[in-house]
């Protein structure tokens, strides 16, 4: 398995390659050299060649990369060639915004949104049903759910994460501003918005250095 | 300036240190050893010592770290000891959710939300006025604005980013799923949600390897 050797840094860059290749496809472009991709993505051509070589000879000397082939292969590596059923926990503004997002284009299909407010019970967001938290375990037993999206208050997220992993959920997409303590076989991807803002403010105050 | 030598990887970890130190402060804990901090944060003690040594002798042999001092120093490095006035462009679900978020606790104060829908004109979200896009330049000239948050459709974001940078905005927090082409002196921090989901799905399909 060659894939095992791929560094985390490369994996982190794959979605970006995937996005640019999709754009090329949408523009009917069938092949591209590492040089052209480099100037589009503002990454060095040698970085691109190095990154993509990880996945075996996608590029051909004098031909460049076959856009569709590379797009499909990266899609397979990322697992977006498959459907990933999701549930969103928390029907507040954030859960609402995420439910309205077109993630299914990449295979991430939201099956239900869970909340505790009775007035939301059996309402729909973009056709997706809002259910009550006491139906959570029942729903997960009945329906295949792979990813749970956590958009609930910090004070409640630990307990809910426990309920989810107890039901066998193996993947959490966490928007709450804390690190979750979960069993080893559960993968967690955090979107820590405050951390991201702090990176921005760091870069603002150090932007002269950045340019030098 | 010692700070100039600090690696990006360390900078990326600072918000997490800041968050844990804040929690310790909230619990009235005045000092902590790298060992204790290590078990709390699930990072090795030697990594912690190495990271924090970047900022000069915060730790003292046999005493550990002074929580308040370290918290304040990291806050200064991150620039969160200062106020950062923001505007949110796009009053949809996402902009709405962000306007409701308590970012001002860390100095990020949202001054206005901009949208194009007339029915939103002069409404308020958590006391923050919603203004129309044609008032954008006028507002930025009148009020100090440091950060613009971009939560608008992909098709419109390039043009709006241009308008903003033309008015002198030097920091963009971008939620649109594309990379912005901005002048060199503008810093951009991206929150690419789809990329994050793809990282998650990659890790789901490779989770056996991850554990080994």
């Amino acid at each position: 398995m060659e894939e095992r050797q791929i560094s985390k840094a490369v994996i982190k860059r794959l979605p970006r390659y995937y996005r640019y290749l999709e754009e090329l496809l949408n523009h009917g472009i069938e092949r591209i050299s590492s040089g052209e991709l480099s100037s589009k993505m503002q990454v060095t051509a040698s970085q691109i060649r190095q990154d993509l070589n990880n996945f075996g000879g996608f590029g051909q000397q004098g031909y460049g990369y076959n856009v569709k082939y590379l797009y499909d292969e990266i899609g397979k590596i990322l697992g977006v060639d498959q459907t990933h059923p999701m549930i969103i926990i928390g029907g507040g503004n954030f859960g609402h915004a995420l439910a309205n997002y077109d993630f299914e284009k990449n295979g991430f299909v939201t099956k239900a949104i869970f909340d505790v407010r009775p007035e939301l019970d059996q309402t729909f967001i973009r056709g997706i049903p809002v259910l009550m938290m006491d139906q959570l375990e029942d729903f997960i037993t009945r329906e295949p759910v792979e990813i749970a999206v956590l958009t609930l208050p910090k004070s409640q997220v630990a307990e809910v994460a426990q309920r989810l992993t107890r039901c066998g959920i193996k993947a959490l997409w966490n928007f709450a501003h804390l690190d979750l303590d979960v069993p080893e076989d559960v993968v967690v991807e955090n979107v820590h918005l405050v951390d991201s803002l702090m990176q921005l403010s760091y870069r603002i105050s150090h932007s002269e250095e950045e340019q030098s």
Side-chain angles (χ1 to χ4, degrees), chain A:
Chain A
M1 299 296 292
E2 282 176 58
E3 275 188 39
R4 294 194 185 221
Q5 317 301 327
I6 301 169
S7 77
K8 277 193 185 170
V10 178
I11 299 302
K12 271 211 178 294
R13 288 194 286 269
L14 285 187
R16 194 157 172 260
Y17 284 114
Y18 192 72
R19 176 150 42 93
Y20 275 83
L21 290 165
E22 182 174 68
E23 216 168 279
L24 293 171
L25 273 185
N26 291 342
H27 285 84
I29 295 165
E30 285 174 19
R31 60 190 209 183
I32 191 162
S33 69
S34 52
E36 289 166 299
L37 197 55
S38 152
S39 72
K40 255 189 109 61
M41 293 185 66
Q42 307 193 326
V43 179
T44 65
S46 95
Q47 162 113 78
I48 288 180
R49 279 192 298 268
Q50 232 177 65
D51 281 355
L52 300 183
N53 276 348
N54 275 299
F55 313 110
F58 293 158
Q60 264 177 273
Q61 195 71 38
Y63 174 88
Y65 295 99
N66 179 314
V67 174
K68 178 80 172 79
Y69 179 74
L70 192 50
Y71 176 78
D72 287 342
E73 289 301 309
I74 292 180
K76 277 183 218 163
I77 292 161
L78 289 172
V80 293
D81 57 332
Q82 286 157 46
T83 299
H84 301 280
M86 307 201 295
I87 53 176
I88 296 174
I89 317 287
N93 284 307
F94 233 91
H96 210 106
L98 292 174
N100 272 304
Y101 211 107
D102 178 24
F103 293 122
E104 57 256 41
K105 208 185 66 178
N106 291 302
F108 302 95
V109 182
T110 304
K111 295 294 185 184
I113 299 143
F114 289 87
D115 204 288
V116 288
R117 287 165 290 182
E119 67 271 25
L120 294 180
D121 194 15
Q122 299 186 47
T123 60
F124 291 86
I125 299 176
R126 204 170 54 106
I128 304 162
V130 181
L131 305 174
M132 292 296 99
M133 276 304 281
D134 55 15
Q135 301 169 269
L136 182 66
E137 281 80 1
D138 189 46
F139 185 88
I140 296 174
T141 319
R142 223 172 51 228
E143 304 264 348
V145 176
E146 191 176 62
I147 300 170
V149 186
L150 304 175
T151 71
L152 62 174
K154 207 169 156 170
S155 59
Q156 291 156 39
V157 73
E159 190 217 318
V160 170
Q162 242 185 23
R163 281 175 65 183
L164 289 161
T165 53
R166 234 185 276 132
C167 296
I169 298 290
K170 294 276 181 259
L172 302 174
W173 198 27
N174 175 40
F175 285 78
H177 195 224
L178 84 175
D179 299 320
L180 298 172
D181 190 15
V182 292
E184 273 208 355
D185 61 341
V186 176
V187 292
V188 180
E189 189 72 24
N190 293 304
V191 181
H192 287 328
L193 294 175
V194 177
D195 289 17
S196 170
L197 258 185
M198 287 183 184
Q199 296 290 334
L200 188 59
S201 77
Y202 173 84
R203 292 175 59 204
I204 292 168
S205 47
H206 296 78
S207 62
E208 291 83 22
E209 296 166 31
E210 216 173 65
Q211 285 165 71
S212 64

